[in-house]
């Protein structure tokens, strides 16, 4: 593990050094049992450490998602009964008016919508209104 | 503010509802003084809430950065004395061997390196070895 810069990041994260160590060893393919032996503790304890680490990673993701939505330079309301295939044109038009560059082309955006807004769309038609957030980095989010 | 889905995300983040409210109002251009009046508290208190929110956002960023580095399918050591202009070729070659698609072209990667590895490079030459992490989503990180 690197020293220097990284120590600073570790100190200012929601992961403990032990949690990081366990995640690293898991990534290398070790079982919880094997990690328990290396760290001189029980498998149940490793399981708990891993669980808490993953919960904190999930909470960190949600934290940034909320922050990115708050900071979004453009939020577009997608209304009921719109044809899903028309959404990219709506978004590109508004982004263009605001001088914002989006990281997707039409096809990529349709894929993104298909994957991330499926709970709002049925048979190509918007069944429940939703918002598309155009983020500062040109990415999209849906909420 | 939306209800439903969002409430769940809020509950599972490192931001409190009050912190989110303050960030939203700040984003809308209100001063801390104005927000203090709306929420019936002091400017100093709003200042503290905003500070803690930003600290947690920073810690969330670091958390995901650590996790993305641990999960990186490819980590490349960039050695001392290498010409910085040769780095993209090194990275593309290794990524190609591993069947990993990187989200940058040569020029974009050079810009990324110039911006994010400047503490390791002097006059186009690597002065201190560092690592480039190719992340699962095709993004890069440096550490």
């Amino acid at each position: 593990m690197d020293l220097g810069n990284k120590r600073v990041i570790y100190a200012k994260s929601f992961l403990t050094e032990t949690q990081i160590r366990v995640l690293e060893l898991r990534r290398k393919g070790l079982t919880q049992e094997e990690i328990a032996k290396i760290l001189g503790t029980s498998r149940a304890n490793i399981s708990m450490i891993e669980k808490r680490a993953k919960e904190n990673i999930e909470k960190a993701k949600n934290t940034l998602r909320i922050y990115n939505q708050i900071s979004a330079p453009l939020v577009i309301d997608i209304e009921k009964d719109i044809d899903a295939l028309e959404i990219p044109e709506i978004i590109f038009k508004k982004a263009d008016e605001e001088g914002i560059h989006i990281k997707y082309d039409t096809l990529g955006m349709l894929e993104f919508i298909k994957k991330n807004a499926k709970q709002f769309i049925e048979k190509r038609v918007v069944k429940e209104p939703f918002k598309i957030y155009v983020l500062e980095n040109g990415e999209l989010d849906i909420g």
Side-chain angles (χ1 to χ4, degrees), chain A:
Chain A
M1 205 185 290
D2 280 2
L3 303 176
N5 272 342
K6 277 211 179 165
R7 291 273 168 205
V8 180
I9 294 180
Y10 289 168
K12 291 185 180 171
S13 89
F14 290 111
L15 295 171
T16 66
E17 291 213 18
T18 307
Q19 285 172 339
I20 291 168
R21 185 95 182 99
V22 169
L23 290 176
E24 283 177 337
L25 293 171
R26 287 292 274 164
R27 173 73 189 174
K28 284 178 183 158
L30 277 71
T31 64
Q32 291 181 338
E33 189 70 46
E34 288 165 337
I35 297 170
K37 275 181 193 153
I38 292 171
L39 301 188
T41 183
S42 65
R43 192 208 60 78
N45 192 28
I46 297 298
S47 172
M48 183 55 74
I49 291 168
E50 192 179 352
K51 183 166 172 277
R52 289 211 179 118
K54 290 196 169 165
E55 281 169 0
N56 283 352
I57 289 161
E58 208 51 41
K59 283 173 80 173
K61 278 185 193 166
N62 288 338
T63 300
L64 291 187
R65 199 173 163 209
I66 292 167
Y67 180 63
N68 286 335
Q69 289 187 355
I70 293 173
S71 313
L74 182 59
V75 183
I76 300 161
D77 286 299
I78 304 296
E79 283 159 33
K80 197 169 177 293
D81 296 328
I82 284 180
D83 180 341
L85 293 183
E86 288 172 17
I87 296 175
E89 200 187 319
I90 296 170
I91 298 175
F92 284 124
K93 189 166 172 287
K94 296 228 181 188
D96 198 36
E97 285 166 12
E98 304 281 331
I100 297 168
H101 175 73
I102 296 179
K103 274 193 184 167
Y104 294 85
D105 58 10
T106 302
L107 212 64
M109 195 184 292
L110 281 173
E111 274 170 30
F112 179 89
I113 291 165
K114 197 179 166 188
K115 189 179 164 196
N116 296 286
K118 56 184 166 207
Q119 70 268 43
F120 305 114
I121 296 171
E122 210 181 287
K123 292 182 188 160
R124 258 186 60 186
V125 177
V126 175
K127 283 293 161 197
E128 194 189 325
F130 62 96
K131 288 178 198 296
I132 294 184
Y133 297 82
V134 181
L135 308 184
E136 277 176 350
N137 61 4
E139 288 285 349
L140 301 176
D141 194 9
I142 282 174

